Amino acid sequence: MIPLFRAAGMLALIALGACSEERHPFDRHLAQLRPVTVAALPDMGWPVGTMLCPMGLYQSEVSDSAPPAERVNAFLKQKQFLGDEGLWSLIVVKPMPEGDAGIEQLFFKRADYDVINDPQRIERDAETVPAGFAPQACVTVEQARLLVTREQRSHRKLIIFGTAQT
């Protein structure tokens, strides 16, 4: 009788595991970072020259000042993408000559952190932005740094993509 209960218990655990969503390795990396730090990106296998453009909650296009903005915004418009309360996304732009070839959009559920890139929101909400760190709307993987700080009013973690002088 005990082996029957063990088998039923194992089946229940397997079923629970199958229902849980597997988090993307990049999302797991971000969740582990602690304030206040500036960290390099983990190796995600993206080729040199790949641009990363984070898009915060409700954001539906990339700032015009970002180098791949025209390509990315055309891609988003074609997809009819509208930002959302519960999701942030990362646009991965691999070095390709034109169009939406090489553009991928990764979606992440809002977690215990928020990704922000709006300069006014950074100035208003970020508790600390260290000297030498420059927030960027889009940044190449080889230059990218992640600033992890706290939101002034709620103490949620904020993650800001940018570059840092070493």
Side-chain angles (χ1 to χ4, degrees), residues 15-161:
L16 283 174
C19 293
S20 69
E21 290 184 33
E22 183 64 27
R23 290 173 74 180
H24 190 279
F26 191 67
D27 190 29
R28 285 195 309 265
H29 176 77
L30 295 180
Q32 293 173 359
L33 297 174
R34 300 286 169 240
V36 167
T37 59
V38 175
L41 293 177
D43 181 11
M44 298 300 298
W46 293 314
V48 171
T50 298
M51 297 286 293
L52 301 177
C53 304
M55 298 188 60
L57 307 176
Y58 296 117
Q59 187 178 352
S60 297
E61 62 182 23
V62 173
S63 166
D64 289 337
S65 65
E70 191 174 310
R71 258 180 84 198
V72 169
N73 290 336
F75 169 83
L76 294 169
K77 187 174 183 177
Q78 178 205 10
K79 298 278 185 194
Q80 299 179 339
F81 174 73
L82 296 174
D84 185 277
E85 165 65 24
L87 295 173
W88 71 275
S89 63
L90 182 65
I91 308 295
V92 179
V93 184
K94 294 179 182 161
M96 300 292 265
E98 58 190 49
D100 63 3
I103 299 178
E104 176 183 13
Q105 186 173 20
L106 304 175
F107 293 96
F108 302 96
K109 286 186 178 179
R110 189 173 187 193
D112 65 339
Y113 62 87
D114 286 325
V115 173
I116 63 172
N117 63 8
D118 176 54
Q120 292 153 341
R121 180 153 183 229
I122 292 169
E123 186 177 321
R124 182 190 74 212
D125 293 344
E127 197 170 73
T128 305
V129 177
F133 181 83
Q136 303 288 327
C138 294
V139 64
T140 61
V141 293
E142 54 273 8
Q143 293 180 322
R145 297 295 178 268
L146 303 168
L147 167 62
V148 184
T149 186
R150 293 254 183 222
E151 188 169 11
Q152 290 185 31
R153 292 177 302 284
S154 75
H155 296 290
R156 278 183 64 78
K157 284 192 313 187
L158 297 177
I159 297 182
I160 303 165
F161 284 65

Side-chain angles (χ1 to χ4, degrees), residues 1-16:
M1 185 119 168
I2 290 180
L4 183 61
F5 284 119
R6 280 191 188 150
M10 289 301 290
L11 286 174
L13 287 174
I14 290 170
L16 283 174

